[in-house]
């Protein structure tokens, strides 16, 4: 697996951290993330299943990874972060709409189209040339005065407003399907208790939390206790046997990757040694995956 790249870019007083990495042959995806102060602003996923099917050439994968990283860095330097956000939102909505267990198909035409959009975003505003707008002369038609409507004509016109009620019924039928979970009172046998309605996509959502929040500093040996839960706030359930990956990333040292699984209480325990460094940036990236869903959280590592 090719490790990836980490680059800090400053634009208009804001420092953007760009991270691009290979997710491995089991999940053949090149993932780029754009951070600001620990928050993810934009992301780009590029599958490379076509390279795996063709026999896998590490040199070609490295070339794709470098090219994607350079394009995103160039887009930020050109001040096109909003374009990257729009591409990220479209990609995230399409990924959420697809089934988690469906096979990933490589759409080469879409990859080319997205690459062109990122390349376009990487260009400064001054390089875009807009064609001058030519306004056609307006030709005014002669105004024809219509005779006033008689009472016999005005009455049937007012009756045409009735079909509006049909449109309201159509809109209600097109409302999204949600799944309903009974509240605790309903489970205890209280038939009059209300039910809590939860959207289906929130019901399967994963959540990560650290049982012990603290400041992380270079050179320390720490123990991470990560809890993985699923569902909406107030009705979350623990997730057993979820895969948890911890990555220690920094600009002054090579990445460190550790993995574990949650126990019967939904908690994964991972011991991590934080490398020593006195300059640059570093962070801990924690990711959990279960049943096709995933969640991430990030914590900053302070240098000595």
């Amino acid at each position: 697996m090719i490790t990836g790249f980490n680059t800090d870019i400053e634009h208009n007083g804001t420092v953007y951290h760009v991270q691009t990495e290979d997710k491995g042959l089991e999940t053949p995806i090149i993932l780029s993330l754009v951070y600001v102060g620990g928050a993810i602003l934009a992301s780009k996923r590029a599958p490379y299943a076509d390279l795996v099917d063709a026999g896998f050439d590490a040199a070609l994968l490295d070339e794709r990874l470098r090219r994607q990283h350079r394009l995103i860095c160039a887009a930020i330097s050109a001040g096109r972060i909003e374009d990257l956000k729009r591409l990220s939102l479209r990609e995230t909505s399409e990924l959420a709409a697809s089934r988690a267990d469906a096979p990933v198909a490589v759409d080469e035409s879409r990859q080319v189209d997205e690459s062109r959009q990122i390349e376009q975003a990487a260009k400064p505003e001054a390089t875009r040339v807009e064609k001058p707008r030519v306004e056609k002369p307006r030709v005014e038609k002669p105004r024809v005065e219509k005779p006033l409507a008689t009472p016999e004509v005005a009455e049937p016109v007012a009756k045409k407003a009735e079909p509006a009620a049909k449109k309201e019924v159509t809109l209600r039928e097109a409302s999204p399907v949600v799944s309903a979970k009974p509240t605790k009172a309903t489970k205890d046998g209280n038939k009059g208790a209300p039910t809590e309605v939860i959207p289906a996509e929130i019901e399967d959502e994963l959540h990560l939390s650290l049982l012990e929040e603290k400041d992380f500093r270079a050179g320390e040996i720490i123990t991470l206790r990560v809890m993985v839960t699923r569902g909406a706030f107030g009705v979350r359930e623990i997730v057993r046997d979820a895969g948890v990956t911890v990555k220690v990333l920094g600009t002054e040292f090579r990445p460190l990757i550790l993995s574990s699984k949650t126990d019967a209480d939904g908690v994964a325990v991972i011991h991590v040694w934080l490398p020593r460094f006195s300059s640059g940036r570093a962070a801990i990236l924690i990711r959990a995956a279960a049943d096709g869903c995933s969640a991430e959280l990030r914590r900053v590592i302070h240098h000595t």
Side-chain angles (χ1 to χ4, degrees), residues 129-149:
V129 180
E130 296 185 359
K131 296 182 179 180
R133 182 177 178 182
V134 180
E135 296 186 358
K136 297 182 180 180
R138 298 178 60 183
V139 179
E140 296 185 357
K141 296 183 180 179
R143 183 177 180 181
V144 179
E145 298 288 343
K146 296 183 179 180
L148 296 175

Side-chain angles (χ1 to χ4, degrees), residues 210-290:
L210 290 178
L211 298 184
E212 299 175 0
E213 286 284 359
K214 55 176 291 187
D215 289 338
F216 300 110
R217 298 195 174 277
E220 293 181 339
I221 298 177
I222 62 174
T223 299
L224 297 176
R225 292 178 173 85
V226 185
M227 173 170 281
V228 182
T229 57
R230 184 196 308 276
F233 180 78
V235 290
R236 293 182 182 174
E237 302 175 352
I238 62 174
V239 181
R240 301 178 179 86
D241 295 325
V244 178
T245 303
V246 174
K247 296 183 179 180
V248 182
L249 307 173
T251 58
E252 303 298 323
F253 54 84
R254 295 180 62 84
L256 175 64
I257 302 176
L258 302 170
S259 60
S260 181
K261 285 185 176 292
T262 56
D263 56 17
D265 297 324
V267 178
V269 179
I270 303 175
H271 304 284
V272 186
W273 173 72
L274 303 180
R276 294 184 180 274
F277 65 100
S278 57
S279 62
R281 296 162 59 93
I284 300 175
L285 181 64
I286 306 173
R287 183 177 187 273

Side-chain angles (χ1 to χ4, degrees), residues 30-303:
I30 298 174
L31 175 62
S32 295
L33 299 174
V34 180
Y35 293 97
V36 171
I40 299 177
L41 294 186
S43 63
K44 175 69 177 77
R45 291 175 172 83
Y48 61 87
D50 56 324
L51 294 181
V52 178
D53 295 339
F56 183 69
D57 187 339
L60 292 178
L61 176 58
D62 181 71
E63 181 181 351
R64 286 192 186 182
L65 192 144
R66 291 176 181 273
R67 183 173 182 272
Q68 180 168 311
H69 188 76
R70 286 197 303 267
L71 287 176
I72 293 179
C73 291
I76 295 175
S77 299
R80 312 304 299 176
I81 187 65
E82 293 300 326
D83 292 339
L84 294 178
K85 288 181 181 179
R86 283 191 290 270
L87 291 174
S88 176
L89 288 175
R90 187 184 72 178
E91 183 180 80
T92 303
S93 61
E94 292 177 355
L95 184 62
S98 63
R99 295 183 58 183
D101 58 348
V104 179
V106 177
D107 189 343
E108 296 182 356
S109 60
R110 177 181 168 184
Q111 286 187 0
V112 172
D113 179 63
E114 290 184 350
S115 297
R116 289 176 179 174
Q117 292 185 49
I118 295 178
E119 290 177 355
Q120 184 68 15
K123 297 179 180 180
E125 290 284 356
T127 60
R128 298 187 179 183
V129 180
E130 296 185 359
K131 296 182 179 180
R133 182 177 178 182
V134 180
E135 296 186 358
K136 297 182 180 180
R138 298 178 60 183
V139 179
E140 296 185 357
K141 296 183 180 179
R143 183 177 180 181
V144 179
E145 298 288 343
K146 296 183 179 180
L148 296 175
T150 61
E152 292 77 10
V153 177
E155 183 177 357
V157 171
K159 293 182 179 180
K160 292 184 178 180
E162 295 180 356
K166 296 182 180 180
K167 294 183 179 180
E168 182 180 358
V169 174
T170 304
L171 292 174
R172 290 177 180 176
E173 293 175 354
S175 60
V177 179
V178 297
S179 61
K181 279 191 173 181
T183 59
K184 183 177 180 181
T186 304
K187 293 181 180 178
D188 294 338
N190 186 359
K191 295 182 179 180
T195 57
E196 183 178 1
V197 179
I198 303 173
E201 61 272 14
I202 298 179
E203 185 179 2
D204 294 332
E205 185 175 346
L206 290 184
H207 301 272
L208 290 182
S209 60
L210 290 178
L211 298 184
E212 299 175 0
E213 286 284 359
K214 55 176 291 187
D215 289 338
F216 300 110
R217 298 195 174 277
E220 293 181 339
I221 298 177
I222 62 174
T223 299
L224 297 176
R225 292 178 173 85
V226 185
M227 173 170 281
V228 182
T229 57
R230 184 196 308 276
F233 180 78
V235 290
R236 293 182 182 174
E237 302 175 352
I238 62 174
V239 181
R240 301 178 179 86
D241 295 325
V244 178
T245 303
V246 174
K247 296 183 179 180
V248 182
L249 307 173
T251 58
E252 303 298 323
F253 54 84
R254 295 180 62 84
L256 175 64
I257 302 176
L258 302 170
S259 60
S260 181
K261 285 185 176 292
T262 56
D263 56 17
D265 297 324
V267 178
V269 179
I270 303 175
H271 304 284
V272 186
W273 173 72
L274 303 180
R276 294 184 180 274
F277 65 100
S278 57
S279 62
R281 296 162 59 93
I284 300 175
L285 181 64
I286 306 173
R287 183 177 187 273
D291 301 327
C293 300
S294 62
E296 293 183 351
L297 62 83
R298 185 174 183 268
R299 295 293 183 269
V300 175
I301 302 173
H302 302 281
H303 59 70

